[in-house]
C-alpha cells in the first residue's frame, strides 16, 4: 500500500472504479480512458512499481494475472485481445503500480 498511489486508492475503495473482477490478490477494472471498446487492467493488490521491480517471489502472482486475462476477456465477449505492460517512463508507464492492460473489441487493432 502506497498512500500516494492512485491504484492503491482504487484497491482500498477510496476512488471509485468500474470493477469487473476481484479476489484477495488481484483487482481488475476498466480503464478510465479506454483505447478500445473493451479496455481493462489487471492490477495486483500488492503495490509493486512496475514489472522491473518484480522478482521470483512474484512469479505465481504474475502467472495468475496472465491466466486471468483470457478468462476475463472471454467474459467481456472478446474473441481475441491484446495485452500490454508499460514499464518505466521510457516504456510509457504513467501509473507506477504494476498493471496489465487488456484491449479488444475493435474491428482491427493496430499492428505493432
Ligand atoms: P500506463 O500508461 O500503462 O501507466 O497506464 C495507466 C492507465 O491508467 C491509463 O490508461 C489511464 O487511463 C488509467 N487510469 C488512470 N487513472 C485511472 C482511474 N482512476 N481509473 C481507471 N483507470 C485509470
Ligand atoms: Zn499502488
Amino acid at each position: 500500500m502506497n498512500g500516494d498511489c492512485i491504484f492503491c486508492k482504487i484497491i482500498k475503495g477510496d476512488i471509485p472504479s468500474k470493477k469487473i473482477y476481484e479476489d484477495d490478490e488481484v483487482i481488475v477494472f476498466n480503464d478510465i480512458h479506454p483505447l478500445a471498446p473493451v479496455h481493462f487492467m489487471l492490477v495486483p493488490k500488492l503495490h509493486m512499481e512496475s514489472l522491473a521491480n518484480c522478482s521470483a517471489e512474484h512469479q505465481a502472482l504474475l502467472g495468475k494475472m496472465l491466466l486471468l486475462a483470457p478468462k476475463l476477456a472471454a467474459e467481456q465477449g472478446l474473441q481475441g485481445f491484446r495485452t500490454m505492460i508499460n514499464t518505466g517512463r521510457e516504456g510509457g508507464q504513467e501509473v507506477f503500480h504494476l498493471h496489465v492492460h487488456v484491449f479488444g473489441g475493435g474491428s482491427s487493432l493496430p499492428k505493432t
Side-chain angles (χ1 to χ4, degrees):
M1 175 71 197
N2 173 332
D4 296 328
C5 170
I6 191 161
F7 285 0
C8 282
K9 288 179 183 161
I10 288 174
I11 291 160
K12 222 177 139 203
D14 289 349
I15 292 180
S17 68
K18 292 220 164 127
K19 196 163 48 174
I20 62 168
Y21 175 86
E22 183 172 17
D23 65 25
D24 54 342
E25 293 178 309
V26 181
I27 188 170
V28 182
F29 51 87
N30 287 328
D31 198 293
I32 204 166
H33 295 125
L35 299 177
V38 175
H39 180 181
F40 60 84
M41 291 177 288
L42 299 113
V43 181
K45 289 192 171 176
L46 185 66
H47 178 88
M48 295 184 276
E49 276 200 11
S50 79
L51 196 57
N53 296 95
C54 291
S55 55
E57 66 190 285
H58 305 119
Q59 190 164 314
L61 180 57
L62 292 169
K64 175 176 175 171
M65 289 197 296
L66 282 184
L67 290 174
L68 258 173
K71 281 191 195 158
L72 297 178
E75 278 179 27
Q76 297 294 306
L78 299 178
Q79 312 294 323
F81 59 91
R82 176 171 295 169
T83 48
M84 182 172 80
I85 306 175
N86 294 326
T87 302
R89 250 172 242 291
E90 288 188 23
Q93 188 174 4
E94 289 177 355
V95 174
F96 287 84
H97 180 133
L98 176 69
H99 50 281
V100 179
H101 291 267
V102 175
F103 310 96
S107 51
S108 63
L109 288 168
K111 292 284 170 211
T112 52

